[in-house]
Amino acid sequence: MTELVGRSVARVDGRAKVTGAAIYAADQPVPDALHGVLVMSTVARGEVLRIDASAALAHPGVVAVLTHRDLPKLVVPHFPYVKRFIPMQGTAVHHVGQPVAIVLATTLEQAQEGAALVSVDYRAEKPSVVIDDAREPAFLPQPFRDRPNEIRRGDAASALREAPVRLEARYSSATRHHNPIEPHTTTARWDGDRVTLFESAQGVLVTRTVVATAFGLPPESVRVVAPYLGGGFGAKGPGWPHTLLTAAAARVARRPVRLVLSRAQMYTSAGHRAEYRQHLRIGATREGRLTAIAETSTAQLTATEDSVFNRSDSTIGLYTCPNLHVRHEGVRLDVASSSYMRSPETTSHFGLETALDELSWQLSIDPLELRRRNHAEFNQETGERLTSKRLLECYAMAAERFGWARRQPRTGATKDGDEYVGWGMATETHTFAAMPSTASVTVGVDGKALAQLATQDIGTGTYTVVTQIVADALGLPLRDVQAQIGDSALPPAGLSAASATIPSISGSVDQAARAARDAVVALAVADRHSPLFGAAPAEIETRDGRLVHLRDRHRHDTYRAVVGRAGEPVRRTATVLNQGGHTYGVVFLEARVHARFGSVRVTRVVTAHDLGRVMNRRTARGQVLGGVTWGIGHALMEHTVFDRNTGRVVNPNLSTYLVPVNADAPPEVETLFVDKPDPASTAMGARGFGETPITGVPAAIGNAIYHATGRRLRDLPITQDKLL
Amino acid sequence: MAESTGAARPTRRTVLKTAAVTAGGAALAPRTAVAAGAGEVAAGPGETAVVTLSVNGKRRAVEVEPRVTLLDALRERLGLTGTKKGCDRGECGACTVLVDGERVKSCLTLAVMRQGSEITTIEGLAQGERLHPVQEAFIRHDAFQCGGCTSGQIMSAVACIDEGHAGSDQEIREWMSGNLCRCACYQNIVAAVADAAKGARS
Ligand code: FES
Ligand code: FES
C-alpha cells in the first residue's frame, strides 16, 4: 500500500526554512565561542619565512594568533580528505590561499581586522597555475580510489585507422567553483578529549572519520552535527583544512572556536572542478555506428596529489563501441586541490556529446537518430545485459514533447528578430553510488514515529522522502512522522554525495519502519486490552494511525493506544544494502543567439529521465531545474580566472565569477519521468539521480548554438566574446 | 601551547595572549562608550556604542563597534540567525531584510546607521503560527531546496510585490535577480512570487 511515496509531497522542512527557524551550522549558538579568521598565503609556491603578529595582537579583542608553531601535529587523513597535506604543519606553501595563521578574537570584526594585521614574509618561486604553463609534460597518474586512469577495450588504434568515417576534435573547459550560498563553516567545542563540531558537511560520518584520524582519536570521541546545509554541490563532501585547523585552534585556545570562510577564501579552500582538456578521436561506419573511440584528457593536478576527479565514464560506457582507449592524464600545477563538483562526469561528457553532434552533421544523420543507433543494451565492460535501462523511452517522450521531428536540418535557418534560433540535444547520464546505511524507526507512546539515521539533506529532499517512506510503511499521517538526520551520533548512513542518498537509505528506512509496524501489530494482537486481541497479524491493516481488522472492521486500535499501553517505545533498526549504477535521460533545448551581441539565451527545455521509481515528484523536478540551470552556468558563464604570474584567483566573488541569476534561467522547463521501479534496486525501486540532470545540458547548448549559427565552439564557457 | 617570547616585538614567534586564553575565557574588558542619542556614536578601534534597533516590532539595545554591519548585529548580537550571510559584500542577497519596508542587503549597511528605522527580518514575517502569504507560496511552489538563500529571497519577494514589480513573470525574473539561488529554484521562485502577488492584488 503506497500513498505518499511517489507523490508530489511538499517539503516537510519547508516551514523551518521559510521562517528562518532551520539552524544551519553557523547559526548554532555556542556560548563563549571565539571567532576565528584564517590568514591565507599570498604566494603560490615557496615558504613562510616570518610571521609578525604583533599588530594583530595589539588589536583590541584579539586573543591569539596561531601559526604552524602552535598547532599540534596532525595526521593527514586518507580519502575523502583529498588534500594530501594539512596546512600550518610546516612552512611549505603549495598554493595561494593556503592557511598560514589563524586569528582568534572575541568578536568577528576583531578577528577579521586582526587577520588583516598579520604580516607574513615568504620566499616565493614562480608558479605554474594553468595547463598551458605546466613545467612538466602530462603524465598518467596512479589509479585513484582503485580505478585505473587508462582503460582499453579491443584495439582502438587499428579500428580508427580502418574506420570509414573519422572525427578528431579538442574540447576544453575552465576551472569552476561550487559556490554554495552558505559558506563553509566549523564550530569546534572540546570537552576533554572529545570534540563536537557544528559543521557545514555533506556527510557527518565522513567528516567524523577525517577529524578523528587527524587528531588520533577514536571515532566515538568526535561528534559532527549538521541538520541543515546551505548547499554543498560536492564542496562540503570531503574534509578540508579549515575544519581541522578550527578544531586544532579550539584545542590550543581551550575555548570553542567558530570559523566561517569568506567568499573569497572559498576559492582556494574546498576544491573545484579542475581545468580540463580533452582530445577525442572517433571512428564510425557510414551509418554512424561507432567503431572506435580514443580519448586523452588532461586535468589540472597539484604538486601534492594527483587525483583525477573528472573521469570519462560516459565515453567508456554510454554507447556501444567495441574499441576504446581512454587515458586520464594530468599536469601538476601550483593551485589548490580540485575535487568533485556537482556531476563530475559532465566535464568529459560535453566533449563526447558535442563530438556526436559533429558526427551527425558530417554524416547527415539526425543527432537523436545517431544516438539511437549507438544505444548500448549491454554493459560495455562486463557484457551484461542492462535490463532496466529505459533511455530509449526517455528519447521518445522528450522528443515528442519538444517537437524534435520539426527540426530543420540546416544551420542558421531560423531567425526571430535579432536572434538566431537553434535546437540542440544530448544524452544525460551519471554514475551513482550506494553506501551501507542503517536506519532506525521508533514508534513512541504518543503514537508518533521518529526515523533516525546519519545521512543528510543538502536541499535534495531527504527529510521529506524519509518521512514519506515511514508514513507509508507504518500507515501514519505525514504529520505524525519525524525524520532526524545530520548527526554522527545517529545510526550510521551514507553521505549526500555521488547521487547516493536515496539509493543508499530508502531500503533501510522502509524495512525498519515495516519492522516497527509489525512489532506494534504483534503487541496489539497479544494485548488483552486491545480490540484486536487474538487476531492474526496478517489480518491487520494499518492506516491513518489506526490498526484495523481487515474482515471485521469494528475491531480497531491505534498506534498511540497500543504503544501507550505497552508503556515503552517500539524501536526497530534495519540495514538493506544496494548497488550503485547509472541513471539516464535526455535533454532537448532551444537557444537564441543575438546576431550582433553574441549573447545566448536558453529559452525552452524539455527533459526526460529514468531514475527508476520517482520517490517525490517535486523534489525530483527540483533536481532537474537546478541541473539545467547549472548546465547553463557551466556552458555560458562560469569560469575561475587565475593570474598566471602570481597564481591568485582574479575573480573570487559572485560579481565577477558569474553564476546564473533568476533572469538567466529558462522560463520554462518541462521535466518528464519514465517512473518505473528498477527491479534491481533494493531502494524501493529507486536509483540515484541528483547528478544526472545537467550532464547533457552544456553540449546541448553548444549543439543548439551550432544549429543556430553554424559556429562550433569547443571551449567552455562559451562567453559572449567567443560569438562576436 | 605557544608562549610569548618576551621580545620587544614578538616577531618570528607566534604569540598567544596566554593570560586571556588560560583564564578560560576572561575576555579583554571592552572599552565601552554609550551613545548619548541616536546617531551619536563612539569611534576608535575596540570602542563600542549601545544602539537601539527596532527589529520585528521590538526595540532592542545592542552594544556594537561602529564597524559592525546590520547583518552581523542581527546574527551575532541579537541571535536572529534566520538572516543569512552568503558573501558579505552585497552580491548574493542572502542577507536581505526590510528597512522601513524597503529591501536592503544587511551586509552593506552598518547597524549604527539604522537606529530609528523599522527592521523586519524573516523571523518577523509570520503572524504567530500563521505564515505570511509569500512564505506559504514558497512552500506551495517548492521555491527552495537547501534554504541557504531562502530568507533573503522571501524578504526580497515581499518588497518586490510591494514595489509593484511582480506584474508578470518576466518582471519578476528581472526584479528578483539580485537574489542568487545556487540550487537554482528560479522557475519555482517566480511561480511563488507571482502567486503571492496575485493574492496581494485580490
Ligand atoms: S551576504 Fe549580503 S549580499 Fe551576500
Ligand atoms: S535554495 Fe539553495 S541556494 Fe537557494
Side-chain angles (χ1 to χ4, degrees):
Chain A
M1 174 192 63
T2 290
E3 289 174 356
L4 294 160
V5 170
R7 285 228 317 257
S8 177
V9 171
R11 288 172 197 264
V12 299
D13 49 342
R15 194 180 179 96
K17 285 178 175 171
V18 302
T19 56
I23 299 293
Y24 294 75
D27 305 340
Q28 199 69 243
V30 176
D32 206 30
L34 292 169
H35 291 267
V37 171
L38 291 170
V39 178
M40 306 288 229
S41 65
T42 52
V43 305
R45 178 178 161 88
E47 191 181 10
V48 173
L49 296 179
R50 197 179 70 99
I51 299 180
D52 180 356
S54 54
L57 286 164
H59 189 77
V62 172
V63 170
V65 178
L66 306 178
T67 73
H68 59 278
R69 294 172 182 266
D70 308 303
L71 295 193
K73 283 289 159 255
L74 302 171
V75 177
V76 179
H78 40 76
F79 187 86
Y81 185 85
V82 297
K83 221 173 168 90
R84 301 238 176 101
F85 75 100
I86 299 176
M88 289 177 64
Q89 295 282 294
T91 56
V93 174
H94 301 296
H95 61 86
V96 164
Q98 175 183 319
V100 295
I102 177 167
V103 176
L104 305 180
T106 309
T107 71
L108 177 58
E109 294 75 19
Q110 291 161 340
Q112 284 168 335
E113 182 70 12
L117 292 170
V118 174
S119 112
V120 186
D121 293 339
Y122 301 93
R123 178 184 60 71
E125 294 167 35
K126 181 160 174 30
S128 321
V129 297
V130 295
I131 291 176
D132 273 344
D133 294 348
R135 281 182 293 268
E136 312 270 339
F139 68 100
L140 189 76
Q142 290 302 302
F144 176 47
R145 303 182 66 193
D146 299 329
R147 295 183 70 191
N149 283 311
E150 181 163 39
I151 300 99
R152 289 171 181 276
R153 197 163 65 223
D155 179 355
S158 325
L160 266 176
R161 260 195 317 274
E162 288 153 20
V165 180
R166 277 192 290 270
L167 178 90
E168 175 168 6
R170 290 174 193 273
Y171 305 93
S172 52
S173 58
T175 301
R176 326 303 181 91
H177 278 83
H178 311 75
N179 275 308
I181 286 296
E182 174 199 39
H184 300 248
T185 178
T186 304
T187 304
R189 186 179 65 203
W190 289 87
D191 177 15
D193 266 342
R194 306 173 73 86
V195 64
T196 301
L197 295 164
F198 301 103
E199 176 77 16
S200 53
Q202 282 175 243
V204 285
L205 288 177
V206 296
T207 302
R208 179 177 78 168
T209 304
V210 165
V211 173
T213 307
F215 286 86
L217 295 170
E220 14 351 314
S221 295
V222 180
R223 180 170 173 208
V224 181
V225 181
Y228 292 100
L229 191 75
F233 314 111
K236 295 168 181 169
W240 294 107
H242 61 270
T243 303
L244 303 178
L245 299 178
T246 306
R251 192 163 225 200
V252 173
R254 302 182 193 216
R255 293 225 352 224
V257 173
R258 164 159 299 161
L259 181 135
V260 184
L261 292 181
S262 72
R263 180 60 54 180
Q265 290 175 335
M266 287 167 66
Y267 284 77
T268 58
S269 300
H272 56 262
R273 197 189 299 270
E275 187 194 355
Y276 181 82
R277 304 274 170 85
Q278 181 183 24
H279 178 210
L280 253 181
R281 284 173 300 154
I282 289 181
T285 66
R286 291 195 199 290
E287 295 72 44
R289 297 215 156 70
L290 302 176
T291 56
I293 306 180
E295 186 206 277
T296 301
S297 57
T298 309
Q300 160 255 308
L301 309 171
T302 69
T304 52
E305 49 77 42
D306 55 11
S307 321
V308 175
F309 296 97
N310 300 316
R311 298 176 60 86
S312 301
D313 296 72
S314 66
T315 306
I316 295 165
L318 176 55
Y319 297 109
T320 299
C321 182
N323 302 293
L324 176 95
H325 187 189
V326 165
R327 282 171 68 88
H328 304 126
E329 298 188 351
V331 293
R332 293 191 188 277
L333 297 170
D334 305 310
V335 295
S337 302
S338 72
S339 67
Y340 296 114
M341 177 164 157
R342 187 176 190 162
S343 318
E345 291 161 25
T346 304
T347 317
S348 73
H349 193 57
F350 166 73
L352 178 70
E353 290 293 308
T354 308
L356 285 189
D357 199 68
E358 299 197 43
L359 188 63
S360 79
W361 286 95
Q362 198 173 321
L363 295 171
S364 299
I365 298 174
D366 178 274
L368 174 58
E369 174 56 24
L370 183 74
R371 284 164 175 85
R372 283 196 176 115
R373 287 184 192 175
N374 290 293
H375 181 258
E377 279 177 29
F378 298 90
N379 181 314
Q380 295 297 293
E381 296 198 85
T382 64
E384 278 167 71
R385 181 174 277 280
L386 299 165
T387 46
S388 51
K389 178 179 175 186
R390 301 179 186 280
L391 177 57
L392 292 175
E393 280 174 62
C394 295
Y395 286 153
M397 286 166 87
E400 147 94 32
R401 188 67 67 94
F402 188 83
W404 185 255
R406 298 195 308 274
R407 172 182 175 269
Q408 305 262 1
R410 282 175 297 124
T411 62
T414 313
K415 203 167 173 202
D416 182 5
D418 282 336
E419 292 176 316
Y420 290 103
V421 183
W423 288 1
M425 60 83 56
T427 305
E428 300 213 287
T429 182
H430 208 275
T431 310
F432 66 89
M435 305 172 195
S437 295
T438 300
S440 80
V441 171
T442 306
V443 182
V445 291
D446 56 0
K448 296 185 179 176
L450 175 67
Q452 294 174 300
L453 67 167
T455 189
Q456 312 285 136
D457 192 329
I458 61 172
T460 41
T462 314
Y463 275 112
T464 309
V465 172
V466 168
T467 308
Q468 290 171 269
I469 294 171
V470 173
D472 274 356
L474 283 163
L476 277 175
L478 209 53
R479 63 171 181 279
D480 285 348
V481 180
Q482 207 197 326
Q484 191 189 6
I485 60 178
D487 185 336
S488 63
L490 298 170
L495 80 164
S496 278
S499 303
T501 319
I502 292 293
S504 301
I505 67 166
S506 303
S508 303
V509 172
D510 182 48
Q511 187 166 310
R514 285 175 193 283
R517 175 206 179 272
D518 292 348
V520 175
V521 169
L523 279 178
V525 298
D527 180 357
R528 293 183 179 284
H529 299 290
S530 172
L532 298 171
F533 177 63
E539 291 187 320
I540 311 287
E541 178 192 58
T542 48
R543 178 185 282 274
D544 279 338
R546 287 150 46 95
L547 291 70
V548 182
H549 197 286
L550 276 172
R551 283 183 299 112
D552 182 1
R553 303 195 75 86
H554 296 296
R555 293 174 68 190
H556 52 76
D557 208 335
T558 64
Y559 274 105
R560 186 180 162 146
V562 174
V563 185
R565 282 194 304 269
E568 60 178 323
V570 172
R571 183 175 195 257
R572 290 293 181 272
T573 296
T575 309
V576 176
L577 298 178
N578 196 11
Q579 276 180 358
H582 289 87
T583 295
Y584 302 96
V586 65
V587 56
F588 292 87
L589 56 81
E590 174 186 274
R592 290 169 181 251
V593 184
H594 197 283
R596 278 173 300 138
F597 305 149
S599 48
V600 180
R601 300 192 292 143
V602 177
T603 41
R604 193 161 70 87
V605 183
V606 177
T607 63
H609 291 99
D610 166 30
L611 49 151
R613 181 177 190 180
V614 176
M615 304 297 278
N616 181 324
R617 287 216 154 227
R618 76 165 66 193
T619 56
R621 173 170 156 82
Q623 288 306 299
V624 183
L625 296 181
V628 166
T629 294
W630 266 65
I632 291 171
H634 188 88
L636 300 177
M637 45 189 100
E638 296 188 34
H639 61 302
T640 306
V641 181
F642 291 94
D643 179 304
R644 285 162 79 164
N645 290 314
T646 63
R648 295 185 197 165
V649 176
V650 176
N651 56 342
N653 51 58
L654 293 168
S655 55
T656 55
Y657 179 101
L658 300 186
V659 302
V661 303
N662 201 318
D664 295 318
E668 208 188 308
V669 179
E670 279 195 77
T671 53
L672 311 175
F673 300 113
V674 175
D675 198 6
K676 289 186 184 144
D678 176 353
S681 162
T682 58
M684 305 177 73
R687 284 210 296 272
F689 181 55
E691 294 177 294
T692 300
I694 172 179
T695 49
V697 175
I701 292 174
N703 297 341
I705 291 173
Y706 181 77
H707 185 225
T709 65
R711 296 192 52 189
R712 181 64 72 182
L713 294 160
R714 301 184 182 87
D715 177 45
L716 295 184
I718 303 170
T719 44
Q720 218 167 325
D721 51 298
K722 294 179 185 168
L723 275 162
L724 285 178
Chain B
M1 188 185 297
E3 53 191 346
S4 165
T5 57
R9 281 187 68 228
T11 55
R12 290 183 181 275
R13 291 302 301 253
T14 299
V15 180
L16 268 181
K17 280 186 179 169
T18 323
V21 169
T22 51
L28 295 180
R31 284 170 279 166
T32 305
V34 178
E40 190 182 325
V41 169
E47 291 184 22
T48 57
V50 176
V51 300
T52 304
L53 294 175
S54 182
V55 187
N56 301 328
K58 284 198 203 76
R59 286 171 66 78
R60 299 182 61 179
V62 53
E63 187 181 319
V64 290
E65 292 179 86
R67 62 183 166 186
V68 173
T69 62
L70 177 59
L71 172 59
D72 288 328
L74 292 170
R75 286 185 55 83
E76 305 291 339
R77 275 82 175 178
L78 296 175
L80 292 170
T81 53
T83 305
K84 304 300 179 198
K85 181 187 286 187
C87 67
D88 211 16
R89 41 183 283 159
E91 295 164 344
C92 73
C95 65
T96 308
V97 299
L98 302 184
V99 176
D100 296 327
E102 290 191 7
R103 42 180 162 169
V104 162
K105 289 175 174 172
S106 62
C107 69
L108 286 188
T109 185
L110 299 174
V112 294
M113 294 162 63
R114 298 301 176 178
Q115 302 175 75
S117 300
E118 192 53 54
I119 296 153
T120 310
T121 71
I122 190 75
E123 290 93 342
L125 220 48
Q127 303 278 326
E129 283 298 290
R130 229 184 61 233
L131 295 179
H132 186 281
V134 174
Q135 291 172 310
E136 279 181 345
F138 265 62
I139 295 178
R140 207 162 47 240
H141 291 276
D142 204 39
F144 54 88
Q145 291 176 24
C146 77
C149 71
T150 308
S151 304
Q153 300 280 359
I154 290 175
M155 300 315 289
S156 198
V158 169
C160 180
I161 295 167
D162 273 3
E163 292 158 13
H165 288 138
S168 67
D169 284 3
Q170 185 49 33
E171 197 180 15
I172 295 169
R173 282 154 52 86
E174 292 295 334
W175 285 89
M176 287 298 292
S177 277
N179 290 80
L180 301 179
C181 177
R182 189 55 160 161
C183 298
C185 314
Y186 291 128
Q187 294 84 357
N188 293 351
I189 292 170
V190 173
V193 177
D195 194 1
K198 213 163 58 207
R201 277 194 300 269
S202 61

